[in-house]
């Protein structure tokens, strides 16, 4: 049983069990994805997780939500977030980035190696 990051869910948390993906245990990946405890996993992955849940709830719950409305509400509603759609497409749309071959270039993490880099292909 190892601690490992939940990178496939974008959860930024670590778990401790034996349900990690098989490729985490490959020789080039073990040091990067499998840890002896949750604290080590969180520290290495720079995740904001905590190692263990508390035994009891905190003594001082937050005061949210408030019991009454704010003292200074706005005098009028805020404007709409966007204007109505246009009747025709833009004359100068943003095009995807392409390489010399004309293929669209994508950026993605190189998760199967320990170098923690991104690739563009």
């Amino acid at each position: 049983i190892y601690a490992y990051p939940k990178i496939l869910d974008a959860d930024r948390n670590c778990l401790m069990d034996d349900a990690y993906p098989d490729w985490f245990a490959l020789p080039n990946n073990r040091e990067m994805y499998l840890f002896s405890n949750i604290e080590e996993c969180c520290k290495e992955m720079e995740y904001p997780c905590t190692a263990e849940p508390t035994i009891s709830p905190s003594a001082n719950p937050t005061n949210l939500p408030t019991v009454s409305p704010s003292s200074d509400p706005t005098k009028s509603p805020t404007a709409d977030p966007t204007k109505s759609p246009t009747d025709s497409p833009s004359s100068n749309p943003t095009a995807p980035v392409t390489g010399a071959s004309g293929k669209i270039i994508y950026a993605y993490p190189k998760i199967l190696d320990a170098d923690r880099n991104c690739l563009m292909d």
Side-chain angles (χ1 to χ4, degrees), residues 9-78:
D9 297 348
D11 192 13
R12 295 183 54 81
N13 209 341
C14 293
L15 298 175
M16 181 99 177
D17 58 38
D18 61 356
Y20 51 84
D22 292 339
W23 57 269
F24 278 19
L26 293 175
N28 289 341
N29 295 332
R30 284 186 192 133
E31 286 185 27
M32 191 164 135
Y33 296 112
L34 298 179
F35 304 94
S36 59
N37 57 58
I38 290 180
E39 295 96 335
E40 184 182 347
C41 176
C42 292
K43 180 179 176 185
E44 195 65 32
M45 299 305 293
E46 298 179 358
Y47 285 174
C49 50
T50 57
E52 299 293 330
T54 56
I55 295 172
S56 62
S58 61
N60 300 317
T62 62
N63 293 327
L64 298 175
T66 58
V67 293
S68 61
S70 62
S71 60
D72 296 324
T74 58
K75 298 200 183 305
S76 61
T78 56

